[in-house]
Amino acid sequence: MNNTTTNSTYYFFSINVPYSQCEALYSPSAPNVVLVADNGVKVQVPTSRLRQFITSQGVKGRFRMTVNAQLKIVAFERVR
C-alpha cells in the first residue's frame, strides 16, 4: 500500500533502455540517473528504483513516480 496524500506530486516517464545498457544501473559510480518527466522536469532517481524493472528486453514502459512534500520518493511503479 502506498502512503500517498494530497501533498503528493506525480511524475510520469516513458523509459526505453535496451538490455545492453542496463549494466550501468549496477555501477557504483552512477548511483542515480536523471529522467525527464513528461512535463519537462528533470528528476534524479536512484538506479535501485529502476533495477526491479529490468527484463531481457531492458527497461521499457510507462512509469509513475510519487514524491511527498519533502521530495522523498514514496513509490516508483510501472503503469503500462
Side-chain angles (χ1 to χ4, degrees), residues 6 11-13 22 39 43 49-50 56 59 63-65 74-75 79:
T6 56
Y11 296 97
F12 291 89
F13 308 92
C22 288
N39 62 359
V43 182
R49 293 289 184 156
L50 297 176
S56 62
V59 179
F63 296 84
R64 175 177 58 204
M65 183 173 72
V74 175
V79 292

Side-chain angles (χ1 to χ4, degrees), residues 60-74:
K60 298 180 190 279
R62 185 96 171 115
F63 296 84
R64 175 177 58 204
M65 183 173 72
T66 307
V67 298
N68 63 19
Q70 292 76 37
L71 300 180
K72 298 292 183 183
I73 299 173
V74 175

Side-chain angles (χ1 to χ4, degrees), residues 10-48:
Y10 301 93
Y11 296 97
F12 291 89
F13 308 92
S14 291
I15 301 175
N16 186 6
V17 178
Y19 183 78
S20 61
Q21 293 180 7
C22 288
E23 186 176 332
L25 296 176
Y26 291 93
S27 172
S29 63
N32 301 297
V33 294
V34 176
L35 301 174
V36 179
D38 290 351
N39 62 359
V41 174
K42 292 182 181 179
V43 182
Q44 183 172 298
V45 177
T47 54
S48 61

